[in-house]
Structures are given as structure tokens and as C-alpha cells.
């Protein structure tokens, strides 16, 4: 009986020691909050943004006036002093697109918090896509047509032929008019709104989109 009593006393002492140790450990190592899963990382965000392929955010439709003069050349150059000439004033309409070139987006342009819940992305500055500027010939027209040149000296210029001769000049004038009217600022605002909503849709709680040159750092 004495031996059995010693065994039970040993179990009791061990249980008390274990209980005291558990309490001490509980105070020394409070339960840490569960780690939140990382939503994504920089390169994955860049890939997701590029995959959307949303480059053109705004397109301005405008009209510009182009004046074109034509006077005899060659053997008939002397007729210029006599006022022999052709002159056209044409209202040319066209479309000018602007947006963000996502190929210029780099990994260092994306910051992601350790828990993946906050993201800051710095987009390249907006630009006009000059290679996609188009003329609207159907809605362009001649405003003035002054013709003091005989047909056998100055060829009669049709509207389409005139457009071909001033194509580059007209497109450059349309781009300049669009920039003056604020197309780049509007494209920057649209890009901020679009990519904020897009990254929110990926499950990122806090998103800050900066457009280089147009947003406060």
C-alpha cells in the first residue's frame, strides 16, 4: 500500500508541475495571430495588369484647319508674281488616342506589403499613340477654295488628293490640339481609376495607383 501511495503522489506532483509549466508557457508565448496569405507579388501583378491589355483610355475626336497653297513651278514659276495660285482651307477631322504603354512597366514600379493586402503601382506617363491617329475623311470638308491658276498649269486637286499631301501635317495638328485640350491629364485620371478597381477585384484591400508625372508621389 505504501508503494501504491508513493506512485499516486508522484503522478500528482507531475500533474501539478505540468500545469504550472503550461501556465508559464501561455504567458511567455501568447498565441500569435494567424498569418494572412499573400495575395500576390510584384511580377505577378505586372503580368495581371499587362494581361488586361487596357492601353487606350481615351480618344479625342477633333477638327483642325489646314491651309494649303500651290503655285506654278518649273517653267511657269514667274506666274507666281502675277498671283497665279491655288489655295485651300480645309477642316480636317480625326481621332487621337491616348493611354499608357504597359511595356514600360517594370518590377520596381510595384510595391507589395508583406501580407499582400496593400499595393502601390507606379504607371508610366500617359502618351498619345501617334501611329494610331486617324483622319475622318468622310466628315472633313473644304471651307475655302481660291483658284487663280489655269487647269493646264495647276492640276485640279481633289479632296482625297489634298488629304494625301497634308496627311502628316494634319495628324500632327490633331495631336497638338488634343494635348492642348488636356487629353494626357484625362488619360492619367482614367488610368488611376481603372487600375485601382482592377487590383481591388484581385482581392487587394488597399491600392494606390500613381501615374508618373501626373500623380503626387
Amino acid at each position: 500500500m505504501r508503494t501504491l501511495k508513493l506512485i499516486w503522489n508522484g503522478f500528482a506532483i507531475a500533474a501539478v508541475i505540468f500545469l504550472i509549466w503550461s501556465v508559464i508557457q501561455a504567458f511567455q508565448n501568447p498565441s500569435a495571430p494567424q498569418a494572412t496569405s499573400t495575395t500576390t507579388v510584384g511580377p505577378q501583378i505586372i503580368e495581371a495588369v499587362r494581361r488586361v491589355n487596357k492601353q487606350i483610355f481615351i480618344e479625342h475626336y477633333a477638327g483642325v484647319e489646314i491651309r494649303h497653297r500651290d503655285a506654278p513651278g518649273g517653267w511657269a514659276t514667274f506666274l507666281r508674281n502675277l498671283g497665279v495660285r491655288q489655295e485651300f482651307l480645309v477642316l480636317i477631322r480625326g481621332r487621337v488616342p491616348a493611354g499608357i504603354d504597359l511595356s514600360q512597366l517594370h518590377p520596381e514600379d510595384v510595391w507589395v506589403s508583406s501580407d499582400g493586402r496593400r499595393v502601390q503601382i507606379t504607371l508610366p506617363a500617359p502618351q498619345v499613340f501617334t501611329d494610331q491617329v486617324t483622319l475622318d475623311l468622310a466628315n472633313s470638308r473644304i471651307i475655302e477654295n481660291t483658284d487663280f491658276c489655269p487647269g493646264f498649269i495647276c492640276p485640279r486637286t481633289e479632296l482625297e488628293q489634298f488629304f494625301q499631301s497634308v496627311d502628316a501635317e494634319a495628324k500632327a495638328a490633331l495631336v497638338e490640339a488634343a494635348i492642348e485640350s488636356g487629353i494626357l491629364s484625362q488619360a492619367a485620371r482614367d488610368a488611376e481609376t481603372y487600375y485601382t478597381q482592377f487590383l481591388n477585384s484581385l482581392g487587394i484591400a488597399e491600392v494606390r495607383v500613381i501615374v508618373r508625372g501626373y500623380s503626387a508621389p
Side-chain angles (χ1 to χ4, degrees):
M1 289 296 293
R2 181 178 178 81
T3 302
L4 182 61
K5 184 176 181 179
L6 290 174
I7 292 174
W8 280 109
N9 287 340
F11 277 124
I13 294 172
V16 171
I17 293 174
F18 177 77
L19 180 61
I20 295 173
W21 179 84
S22 299
V23 172
I24 293 174
Q25 290 297 314
F27 278 101
Q28 289 181 344
N29 301 296
S31 58
Q34 293 184 352
T36 55
S37 59
T38 300
T39 304
T40 185
V41 293
Q44 291 174 314
I45 290 179
I46 290 180
E47 179 61 26
V49 168
R50 287 177 175 167
R51 192 163 53 242
V52 175
N53 196 29
K54 178 70 173 177
Q55 289 191 336
I56 297 177
F57 291 93
I58 185 172
E59 187 177 73
H60 271 201
Y61 181 79
V64 293
E65 293 184 355
I66 301 293
R67 188 177 294 275
H68 178 71
R69 295 179 177 88
D70 192 14
W75 63 269
T77 302
F78 71 96
L79 295 176
R80 297 183 182 186
N81 297 329
L82 302 177
V84 177
R85 71 184 189 281
Q86 286 178 312
E87 185 172 320
F88 295 87
L89 178 62
V90 180
L91 175 63
I92 299 182
R93 300 186 186 278
R95 294 177 174 82
V96 179
I100 305 293
D101 183 0
L102 297 178
S103 67
Q104 299 177 9
L105 189 63
H106 305 293
E108 58 268 25
D109 295 325
V110 177
W111 174 86
V112 183
S113 64
S114 58
D115 60 4
R117 293 181 57 81
R118 291 178 294 147
V119 167
Q120 176 175 296
I121 181 170
T122 302
L123 298 174
Q127 65 183 68
V128 172
F129 298 120
T130 54
D131 58 334
Q132 299 182 47
V133 176
T134 57
L135 302 183
D136 181 7
L137 305 185
N139 291 298
S140 301
R141 59 189 178 87
I142 295 178
I143 300 175
E144 296 177 7
N145 181 3
T146 304
D147 190 350
F148 295 116
C149 188
F152 68 92
I153 297 178
C154 298
R156 293 289 181 259
T157 304
E158 299 294 336
L159 186 58
E160 290 188 4
Q161 293 175 331
F162 172 79
F163 284 146
Q164 292 175 3
S165 64
V166 298
D167 180 85
E169 180 184 358
K171 289 180 177 178
L174 285 169
V175 169
E176 182 179 358
I179 292 176
E180 289 179 354
S181 66
I183 189 174
L184 295 178
S185 297
Q186 188 172 351
R189 291 193 299 270
D190 290 352
E192 286 185 20
T193 300
Y194 180 86
Y195 283 115
T196 297
Q197 295 174 350
F198 172 70
L199 293 174
N200 283 151
S201 71
L202 297 181
I204 301 171
E206 298 181 30
V207 175
R208 186 185 183 198
V209 176
I210 297 175
V211 179
R212 188 168 283 114
Y214 289 85
S215 305

